[in-house]
Amino acid sequence: MPKEREKRRKASKEAGLSGAGISDGFVKERRTSRRASELRDELCQAKEVKLSEFNTTQVQTSMMEALRVPQVTITPDGGCSREIQQEDWADVEGSLRRKLSNSSISSTGSSIMLEESEDDILSDNETKSKGNITLEHLCEDTSESKPWWKIKTIVNWPFVSPQRRNLSWVQLAGHKGNFKAGGEGTILKKFSENEKLCFERLQGDVLQDFVPGYYGVVERDGDPFLHMTDLLVNFDRPSVMDCKMGVRTYLEEEVVRARERPKLRRDLFDKMLEVDSEAPSPQEHLQRAVTKPRYMQWRETLSSTHTLGFRIEGIKKADGTCHTDFKKTRSKEDITQIFRDFATNNTNILNSYLSKLAKIQQALMSSEFFKRHEVIGSSLLFIHDHTDRAEVWLIDFGKTTALPEGQTLDHSIPWQEGNREDGYMWGLDNLMRTLGSLTNKGTSEGSNECL
Ligand code: I3P
């Protein structure tokens, strides 16, 4: 332990602050008060007033104002139907009104915390590469001709080499270090109790055929992992696209927590700034931090999450290039163009995707699991290769949460805090229309007219 830290530890002990919790709190409190005085300095500079004219209370009040978590309400114009016809497409973005209203927060200055995420590497990568990430080898590849690569956060799935004879695989998204190669044709994903429960409940459900095979929990290097199928097996140099589904990417409980005990995140503020320096409010600029729901809501309105109920997260093409610069991809036209490029305008592939989506849609409509879960942050993973083979899978259930006994969701009605609706089916319908517009099949293939 470095000398300084040891000294501090002793001093804390002498002062009666034994136990990690207490000293952690002490450190946080000190961090908060240090931040308050930094803010006071910044505020004074910004307003060109003398330091003596400000006190910490004023700064804390300003911080609290900035900490309000906006509540997003999505309301369809003029009625309850959310059915969108082909000819209405141009109006999709305008057809939903978003009301961003501030909800009140009762909190004391002492509960304000500044948090740094350990997962901020992506933003560095994205800044440098503008979303086109350079691939790097993850581990030694025994294959002579077709190496696989590791990339940080591209699309939400790691893949084992289709050659299968080596264990070189790629992590296409998510938090760093989340994946390990499993046995042949399988991968290991960092354990999440939530996701484990979902996989268990999915056994025997009609959705089981559309999610990766699940083989239980295994231990590697002392850590638990979920053991599941590698979805890339049997594809040759596949192209992969990840679409995050739903009108909301954070749990209701995250909003409640942020309201009751707001945590300010510097890393999320920095990510926001990278995309749009004017996105943070004056208060957020002052505190140089935002809460997570604030960041997530901003991401949703910037992309097509709110307007279409899904967004493109990342693409890996057959040639190995990867693209993640879709944060501002919002319009139906842009998304359609991206799908066209992704499928190289190949109607066999597009038709295949569309019919897979229609099957998924049917399964979702009769799934007991789907009815009883708030599905947040889950993606549809599109995979195809030069043989025109195309598959779509439901992945990522880390934030998919069971509803209280007896409660069910519609998945297509607007979300209002408390109803836990996620807009998944509405997003799927819009996604199918996007593909339908490229195949001349319109929405006839399995479109849900009830939406
Ligand atoms: C991240 C993305 C992730 C989220 C992560 C965000 O933003 O929304 O889904 O993780 O939160 O930073 P971006 O795509 O702009 O990089 P979860 O889904 O697990 O909440 P985190 O920083 O708290 O991990």
Side-chain angles (χ1 to χ4, degrees):
M1 188 181 295
K3 275 185 185 161
E4 259 317 293
R5 221 194 307 161
E6 176 63 10
K7 253 194 232 164
R8 277 205 304 271
R9 197 184 62 78
K10 276 191 186 146
S12 299
K13 214 172 173 188
E14 280 159 20
L17 297 171
S18 61
I22 296 170
S23 61
D24 275 1
F26 177 64
V27 170
K28 273 168 194 160
E29 207 172 283
R30 282 189 49 181
R31 211 196 298 166
T32 304
S33 74
R34 192 174 62 227
R35 184 69 194 132
S37 73
E38 280 171 19
L39 280 169
R40 185 181 53 180
D41 293 347
E42 286 170 20
L43 203 54
C44 290
Q45 277 168 15
K47 297 199 172 212
E48 293 180 352
V49 294
K50 283 186 197 136
L51 196 67
S52 58
E53 288 170 18
F54 260 91
N55 60 39
T56 308
T57 312
Q58 280 171 298
V59 175
Q60 282 175 342
T61 307
S62 161
M63 281 175 82
M64 288 316 301
E65 276 169 14
L67 277 170
R68 285 192 198 136
V69 181
Q71 181 180 312
V72 181
T73 315
I74 301 173
T75 319
D77 255 353
C80 55
S81 168
R82 296 192 72 169
E83 180 180 344
I84 299 173
Q85 304 300 328
Q86 196 70 26
E87 63 270 23
D88 293 329
W89 257 103
D91 297 321
V92 169
E93 290 191 28
S95 72
L96 293 177
R97 218 182 296 129
R98 261 128 223 105
K99 293 176 186 167
L100 285 163
S101 63
N102 285 332
S103 54
S104 63
I105 297 174
S106 61
S107 176
T108 60
S110 62
S111 69
I112 298 169
M113 287 181 5
L114 283 161
E115 270 214 340
E116 298 286 348
S117 166
E118 290 167 7
D119 268 306
D120 203 24
I121 301 158
L122 166 64
S123 55
D124 294 343
N125 287 345
E126 284 199 324
T127 308
K128 283 175 201 145
S129 65
K130 295 212 168 11
N132 301 325
I133 293 189
T134 311
L135 304 178
E136 58 183 82
H137 289 274
L138 172 67
C139 57
E140 256 188 37
D141 194 340
T142 54
S143 155
E144 279 167 22
S145 54
K146 295 174 190 162
W148 279 81
W149 304 271
K150 173 204 169 197
I151 20 177
K152 169 90 170 72
T153 308
I154 304 297
V155 293
N156 283 313
W157 203 249
F159 303 105
V160 178
S161 162
Q163 285 76 47
R164 285 203 253 171
R165 61 178 174 271
N166 63 66
L167 287 179
S168 188
W169 55 284
V170 289
Q171 174 173 345
L172 294 176
H175 300 109
K176 201 182 176 190
N178 262 9
F179 295 95
K180 280 186 192 294
E184 186 166 305
T186 66
I187 49 134
L188 305 179
K189 182 174 183 180
K190 195 172 175 182
F191 180 82
S192 138
E193 180 64 25
N194 224 37
E195 189 153 36
K196 183 194 91 164
L197 289 173
C198 287
F199 275 116
E200 286 171 356
R201 292 187 198 120
L202 280 161
Q203 306 305 303
D205 189 89
V206 287
L207 282 180
Q208 193 177 356
D209 289 346
F210 303 96
V211 301
Y214 171 67
Y215 313 111
V217 180
V218 296
E219 198 190 290
R220 275 299 141 84
D221 306 325
D223 292 321
F225 286 86
L226 302 176
H227 191 198
M228 57 186 81
T229 314
D230 163 30
L231 299 174
L232 274 205
V233 166
N234 301 327
F235 282 94
D236 183 20
R237 276 163 295 167
S239 296
V240 186
M241 179 193 275
D242 178 297
C243 284
K244 195 175 265 196
M245 300 303 293
V247 289
R248 183 162 55 91
T249 57
Y250 52 88
L251 293 163
E252 283 202 1
E253 64 184 44
E254 291 183 88
V255 182
V256 174
R257 220 182 304 134
R259 196 178 294 137
E260 286 170 356
R261 195 161 169 268
K263 285 184 187 173
L264 285 173
R265 298 254 313 250
R266 173 74 60 88
D267 61 317
L268 298 181
F269 171 80
D270 289 343
K271 285 208 274 188
M272 206 173 197
L273 220 53
E274 276 169 23
V275 178
D276 179 1
S277 61
E278 292 183 6
S281 68
Q283 290 96 331
E284 285 162 352
H285 270 293
L286 197 63
Q287 68 203 11
R288 303 192 62 72
V290 295
T291 61
K292 184 164 170 182
R294 157 72 172 128
Y295 175 79
M296 301 292 262
Q297 288 173 349
W298 167 75
R299 284 274 278 118
E300 290 165 4
T301 45
L302 196 68
S303 66
S304 56
T305 289
H306 275 182
T307 49
L308 296 173
F310 72 91
R311 74 174 179 229
I312 298 171
E313 286 279 287
I315 290 176
K316 177 199 158 293
K317 290 187 175 169
D319 63 8
T321 58
C322 296
H323 307 268
T324 56
D325 195 14
F326 299 110
K327 283 199 169 86
K328 292 200 227 172
T329 303
R330 189 167 183 268
S331 74
K332 176 207 72 170
E333 290 75 18
D334 286 351
I335 289 169
T336 308
Q337 186 56 45
I338 290 166
F339 264 102
R340 185 183 283 118
D341 290 350
F342 171 65
T344 57
N345 213 9
N346 178 330
T347 32
N348 290 335
I349 290 171
L350 288 164
N351 281 330
S352 250
Y353 277 148
L354 199 53
S355 81
K356 298 279 172 203
L357 288 178
K359 285 183 186 141
I360 287 174
Q361 191 183 45
Q362 287 301 321
L364 287 169
M365 283 193 279
S366 59
S367 164
E368 281 302 309
F369 175 90
F370 191 55
K371 216 176 280 170
R372 298 177 199 289
H373 284 77
E374 177 186 8
V375 184
I376 300 295
S378 178
S379 289
L380 285 175
L381 195 70
F382 295 77
I383 312 168
H384 68 264
D385 66 14
H386 62 92
T387 66
D388 286 4
R389 175 154 185 238
E391 302 277 358
V392 186
W393 300 93
L394 275 78
I395 61 163
D396 283 344
F397 304 106
K399 287 170 86 173
T400 292
T401 314
L403 300 167
E405 192 60 34
Q407 193 183 339
T408 57
L409 290 186
D410 177 273
H411 297 287
S412 53
I413 62 174
W415 176 63
Q416 283 183 323
E417 198 180 329
N419 74 4
R420 297 185 69 172
E421 289 291 346
D422 51 36
Y424 193 111
M425 284 301 251
W426 183 65
L428 178 57
D429 194 55
N430 286 330
L431 185 45
M432 290 174 74
R433 286 171 198 278
T434 305
L435 283 169
S437 71
L438 290 168
T439 61
N440 299 323
K441 282 200 173 182
T443 57
S444 60
E445 186 117 26
S447 172
N448 181 355
E449 293 300 317
C450 304
L451 289 175

